[in-house]
Each structure stands twice: as structure tokens, then as C-alpha cells.
Amino acid sequence: EPEVTQTPSHQVTQMGQEVILRCVPISNHLYFYWYRQILGQKVEFLVSFYNNEISEKSEIFDDQFSVERPDGSNFTLKIRSTKLEDSAMYFCASSERRLAGGPMSGDTQYFGPGTRLTVL
Amino acid sequence: DQQVKQNSPSLSVQEGRISILNCDYTNSMFDYFLWYKKYPAEGPTFLISISSIKDKNEDGRFTVFLNKSAKHLSLHIVPSQPGDSAVYFCAASVTFGNEKLTFGTGTRLTIIP
């Protein structure tokens, strides 16, 4: 069964350093997402991406964050200058089509296993 | 921002019995709802979904019920099995032009053998 993969599984970095988290979405999916879960808190939406551009982003996704689809298979999240509060599990997700078209439609986002980011 | 709430942080159920997990939402624009299951150190795994035009959706041992007037949904697992022990998240979205999922805080389900 196709699945979303993420690398690395665990990333440790010093505050102020740049990190890049990598994801390989399911191959026929067109919509990509990043979420994060700070320890003990709920899963929070960061950003969605379609057709090589951001379609929506949350207030968490400030100028320190960026996303890119550098080739036909990878989807990356870059944090330019990490802060202690960026420590969290970061989940990539993908879906085949957008949740649009009314309540008759709907699509499922499939999640990767996550990257645990620890900022020291 | 508590648009999706799961008021029970934990639930213990005997193996073979029914597990009922509950979720409430406040945003009346939500029209698509999903349940995810999560094991430690893994990503959320999709279980079942329901759109707002339905009040019930069933898939094997899993059934989701939606009560739009009460803004409430529930997940029934019957019979419960030890492998069902995990954290369950309910999530919601608005299908017109809004792709993001809004998650609840999760309920930790423990199945007692």
C-alpha cells in the first residue's frame, strides 16, 4: 500500500540553525500539507501546497518557514532559524484531490510517520 | 481555539465490548469529519470519515455517527480488540476552498484483555 515517507525520523539542532525536513508524498497525490504536534498538544495545521504554490498557511507559518517541491517526488519544509519552541513532531500529509466540491466530495489526507525535531 | 473538542482524554474498555469515542465541534461550517488513530512515534492513520450529508458511515468494526444539530460525532468500535489501543483523533474541515484539518486533542483508548 502506498505511503507517505519522511526523513529524518529525528533531527537535533542548535537554536538559530536551519533545518530541512523531507517528505515523499504518495505518488499520484497532488495536494501536500505540513502539520506539527508539540508534545502534549493537538496536531496543528501549518501549510498546504498545490500546483507549486502555497494554498493556505496558518499564523504559525511565519517568515522563518518555507516549503518547496524541488522535484517530482520530494516535498520539503525549511525552518530558517530554529527556535526552542519549534521543537515538535512534524507530519507531512498528502491527498489525491482537494477537499472541494461540496459535501458530496471529500478526500482523505494520509500522513507520514513524522520527524521529531529537537531544538537545543 | 477549541473548534474541535474531545472531552475524554482517556477511555478503558474490555476486549470484545464496544468502544465509543466522542467529539464535539463548534464551527458550523465544518462539513467533513474524519477519525485518525495514532500509535506512539507514528503518524496519524486514517480510519473512517463522514460528510455532513450523512448521519452514519460504517466500515467493518468502525462506525461513525454524526449529529449535526448537536454538533457531535462519535466513533464506535465493536468488538474492541487489543490492537485498537491507541490515541484517537477526530478532525474536521470545510470543503469549500479550505483544505486544512482541525484536530481534537485526542482520546487514549486502552483495551483491557
Side-chain angles (χ1 to χ4, degrees):
Chain A
E1 186 174 321
E3 58 184 19
V4 177
T5 59
Q6 290 184 244
T7 54
S9 57
H10 191 188
Q11 174 87 50
V12 181
T13 190
Q14 295 289 325
M15 188 170 59
Q17 295 295 303
E18 174 183 288
V19 294
I20 297 176
L21 309 183
R22 291 183 166 80
C23 168
V24 179
I26 295 172
S27 62
N28 64 331
H29 286 187
L30 300 176
Y31 301 91
F32 315 115
Y33 314 85
W34 284 100
Y35 292 80
R36 77 173 186 190
Q37 185 181 27
I38 294 171
L39 188 64
Q41 298 185 23
K42 60 172 67 179
V43 177
E44 302 173 288
F45 169 80
L46 291 178
V47 66
S48 57
F49 190 86
Y50 167 69
N51 201 24
N52 281 320
E53 59 183 31
I54 290 173
S55 47
E56 185 174 358
K57 59 184 180 180
S58 71
E59 58 272 13
I60 302 168
F61 194 89
D62 61 23
D63 292 344
Q64 293 300 312
F65 290 86
S66 63
V67 289
E68 192 179 29
R69 187 151 164 84
D71 53 43
S73 59
N74 289 284
F75 179 51
T76 62
L77 174 69
K78 182 193 292 186
I79 309 175
R80 238 177 298 281
S81 176
T82 49
K83 303 188 281 283
L84 295 176
E85 53 266 36
D86 294 328
S87 294
M89 283 290 291
Y90 287 81
F91 296 106
C92 172
S94 69
S95 69
E96 190 172 357
R97 62 187 169 90
R98 188 169 178 168
L99 287 177
M104 287 294 292
S105 69
D107 199 13
T108 299
Q109 295 180 26
Y110 293 91
F111 285 75
T115 292
R116 179 174 299 283
L117 176 65
T118 302
V119 182
L120 302 175
Chain B
D1 180 4
Q2 293 264 355
Q3 294 190 73
V4 179
K5 290 182 279 192
Q6 294 175 256
N7 291 319
S8 298
S10 63
L11 175 69
S12 294
V13 174
Q14 291 278 174
E15 182 179 357
R17 306 293 285 266
I18 184 170
S19 296
I20 300 176
L21 298 102
N22 294 302
C23 178
D24 296 293
Y25 61 96
T26 56
N27 187 345
S28 56
M29 297 295 291
F30 287 144
D31 59 4
Y32 190 62
F33 304 90
L34 308 91
W35 284 95
Y36 286 87
K37 171 181 176 180
K38 187 179 180 302
Y39 294 116
E42 294 185 13
T45 301
F46 169 72
L47 276 178
I48 193 167
S49 63
I50 189 167
S51 75
S52 60
I53 61 167
K54 294 185 171 184
D55 53 24
K56 177 183 172 181
N57 189 27
E58 197 170 347
D59 184 2
R61 297 186 298 117
F62 303 94
T63 303
V64 55
F65 295 92
L66 176 62
N67 181 335
K68 287 188 292 294
S69 60
K71 294 193 180 70
H72 176 84
L73 64 154
S74 61
L75 174 68
H76 293 208
I77 307 172
V78 56
S80 301
Q81 298 174 353
D84 296 331
S85 294
V87 178
Y88 288 77
F89 291 96
C90 120
S93 67
V94 177
T95 58
F96 278 111
N98 185 332
E99 306 145 324
K100 71 178 185 182
L101 294 177
T102 301
F103 281 83
T105 49
T107 296
R108 180 177 301 281
L109 175 65
T110 302
I111 304 303
I112 304 163

